[in-house]
Amino acid sequence: MEASRFEKGSQALAAIDGKGGQAVIDSLQDIAPDLGRWIVEFAFGDIYTRKGLDLQQRELVTIGSLVTQGDTAPQLTVHIQGALNVGLSKAAVVEAILQCAPYVGFPRVINAINVARTVFERGSEDSDKPKD
């Protein structure tokens, strides 16, 4: 039996964003549970599971898209961490953000770099803690 869109999306979300992605979905339950379901089913069940791009490529595209929109720090945080989770290096994340400078301008790129810094620093702090 084929997995439902929600099941496929939940698996993709967990593989990419782990607890951070689920926290976003959980944060919507009291006010807009359908939005959380749509994110899981459409973004992760339908889009992230398509053939043609691997998860690293998808995260780079997502980061670039979020940088161009501006004012997306919470989503950038989740997807930068997701990029690291699927094996992208910090240097690749930074390069993807820098690639946006000629197209969206320095303010949005600076803001995105600052989000990346925060994610990278948080990761360093987490790596210093003993694993459970």
Side-chain angles (χ1 to χ4, degrees):
M1 172 183 234
E2 186 175 332
S4 71
R5 291 170 68 218
F6 188 85
E7 291 168 335
K8 287 179 7 183
S10 293
Q11 292 169 357
L13 178 65
I16 297 161
D17 294 323
K19 293 178 184 177
Q22 189 58 50
V24 171
I25 303 307
D26 292 346
S27 75
L28 299 169
Q29 290 306 303
D30 66 331
I31 191 164
D34 286 341
L35 180 57
R37 182 174 48 81
W38 296 340
I39 292 168
V40 172
E41 289 176 348
F42 178 66
F44 289 91
D46 292 342
I47 302 301
Y48 270 86
T49 59
R50 290 177 56 85
K51 293 180 169 110
L53 297 175
D54 63 30
L55 292 179
Q56 290 182 355
Q57 292 166 323
R58 290 186 188 283
E59 282 302 309
L60 287 174
V61 170
T62 301
I63 289 168
S65 179
L66 291 169
V67 171
T68 64
Q69 292 177 59
D71 197 27
T72 59
Q75 294 79 19
L76 265 172
T77 298
V78 170
H79 285 282
I80 290 170
Q81 184 60 59
L84 299 174
N85 291 347
V86 299
L88 283 166
S89 68
K90 293 175 183 178
V93 170
V94 168
E95 284 300 318
I97 295 169
L98 294 177
Q99 178 66 28
C100 297
Y103 306 100
V104 302
F106 287 99
R108 287 185 176 168
V109 168
I110 291 167
N111 291 343
I113 287 294
N114 285 326
V115 170
R117 175 187 293 115
T118 299
V119 172
F120 298 164
E121 288 172 351
R122 185 182 65 211
S124 297
E125 291 168 7
D126 290 345
S127 65
D128 293 339
K129 295 178 184 173
K131 302 286 182 202
D132 291 332

